[in-house]
Amino acid sequence: VTRARIKRNETGSGATQTRASRRPRTRPSAPPRHKARPPTKRKMKSTALAVALAVALAVATVSTCLAEKEESYFEAAYRFEATHFCETMTTNNKQCGWVGMDDPRYENDREVKINQIGCPMCGTEWGGWYEANEAGTGVSLRYPPNAIIGPGIRGAGYSQYFPRFLSLGCRGKKVEVQAVYKLIDAGEEQNGSGPYYAGLSLTDTPWYPKNLTRCSIGTGQEPSNTAADCRECQQSASGEGGCPIEKDTWYMDTVILDMPEQCPPSQDGPVMPSILVNAYQTLNVSAFTATPIT
């Protein structure tokens, strides 16, 4: 009996056919398990963010590697050219003093071209010895005396170093580097009432001196010939060493460089004694000299 009833239902009576006509004979099949469902907006954002981070990391890694290769390449190129220069020095090349960087009269000088390898003064860390013309349409080179330098001229909120390049003719000699300067704008609005720090900079090069001698030499229009209040200092941008300076007072900073005999003296690039000027400050530099004493 049961089988006959099932059979009738399968072949269909009027009532069975009516009920069957009200719904589909078969249910929609479920989507195949291997077919991905459309991603939600949140998942799409997460995926995009992950891809972007991966791409940024890859680019940063490549850029860092390229920068390291470029730095090594330029250092090696400088060492090669400087070594060859020392090996082929003439009597004129053996003079010790500043190299005429940025001076049009020396643009074809062999040592100038060597010191330009790798652009050692690129970046906002370095300031140039330039003076704007009266029309404000250009600049010209202006070394001391009375060279006005500092990021404060442009209202910049960062420190800068103002270097001179020491000739390879100074290697193996003791060289007195001296800077005479006066703080003419301390940037009081940004820096407050002090203390203020500026002057001849000391680098972290292993053979470079760790101290300098600072003397005050008057408050007049010109520096005096009498030194007073001389002290040993460790000058840095953070004021380490406790050698603050006062506005409108002339100072004379002196350091003795015992230049290595090797060529080049520094494996990292040219030897560049520099004057540090802190953010918003302006100095009047009366003298910046390099004099062999042995």
Side-chain angles (χ1 to χ4, degrees):
V1 177
T2 304
R3 288 180 180 177
R5 187 173 298 167
I6 293 173
K7 189 174 182 179
R8 282 198 301 271
N9 286 340
E10 290 175 349
T11 58
S13 63
T16 304
Q17 289 177 355
T18 301
R19 285 194 299 270
S21 64
R22 293 177 183 172
R23 64 174 184 265
R25 290 183 180 273
T26 57
R27 294 181 181 178
S29 59
R33 295 196 177 190
H34 64 272
K35 183 177 180 181
R37 294 183 178 181
T40 63
K41 289 184 178 180
R42 177 178 296 178
K43 188 173 183 180
M44 290 175 69
K45 288 182 179 179
S46 300
T47 303
L49 179 59
V51 171
L53 289 174
V55 171
L57 180 60
V59 171
T61 302
V62 171
S63 300
T64 301
C65 292
L66 288 175
E68 289 176 352
K69 289 181 179 178
E70 288 175 356
E71 183 179 11
S72 300
Y73 167 79
F74 288 128
E75 288 177 356
Y78 170 78
R79 287 194 295 270
F80 176 82
E81 293 295 338
T83 301
H84 184 256
F85 179 84
C86 292
E87 292 172 348
T88 59
M89 270 184 173
T90 65
T91 302
N92 291 337
N93 296 143
K94 293 182 179 179
Q95 294 180 356
C96 176
W98 299 131
V99 179
M101 300 293 290
D102 299 318
D103 191 328
R105 296 173 297 177
Y106 300 97
E107 61 181 346
N108 295 319
D109 182 82
R110 185 179 168 198
E111 193 169 4
V112 167
K113 292 185 179 297
I114 293 172
N115 287 341
Q116 289 172 341
I117 294 174
C119 192
M121 284 184 60
C122 286
T124 56
E125 176 183 7
W126 303 101
W129 298 85
Y130 301 112
E131 179 180 60
N133 59 27
E134 293 182 1
T137 57
V139 296
S140 59
L141 186 67
R142 178 64 183 271
Y143 287 130
N146 299 320
I148 308 301
I149 62 172
I153 297 173
R154 297 177 300 281
Y158 48 78
S159 310
Q160 279 193 318
Y161 295 91
F162 292 79
R164 297 294 309 265
F165 287 62
L166 201 58
S167 171
L168 290 170
C170 295
R171 65 190 182 95
K173 299 178 180 179
K174 289 186 183 295
V175 182
E176 180 185 74
V177 176
Q178 197 167 78
V180 177
Y181 60 91
K182 175 171 65 173
L183 181 64
I184 59 176
D185 186 349
E188 291 94 333
E189 184 177 344
Q190 296 85 3
N191 296 329
S193 58
Y196 307 122
Y197 297 92
L200 199 58
S201 174
L202 296 172
T203 72
D204 57 359
T205 305
W207 56 266
Y208 217 84
K210 304 306 178 186
N211 301 307
L212 60 83
T213 302
R214 173 167 297 165
C215 302
S216 58
I217 48 176
T219 57
Q221 288 293 109
E222 301 292 335
S224 72
N225 296 322
T226 304
D229 190 27
C230 295
R231 48 199 164 143
E232 295 296 313
C233 309
Q234 293 179 341
Q235 179 61 39
S236 69
S238 63
E240 179 185 358
C243 274
I245 62 175
E246 296 180 3
K247 184 181 176 182
D248 297 325
T249 297
W250 290 101
Y251 292 92
M252 179 175 64
D253 290 355
T254 306
V255 66
I256 306 297
L257 301 184
D258 193 355
M259 297 287 289
E261 179 64 38
Q262 68 182 18
C263 184
S266 176
Q267 298 298 302
D268 300 328
V271 178
M272 300 160 54
S274 305
I275 295 177
L276 167 69
V277 190
N278 273 310
Y280 306 109
Q281 293 180 348
T282 305
L283 296 187
N284 179 348
V285 182
S286 175
F288 191 21
T289 58
T291 308
I293 56 178
T294 57

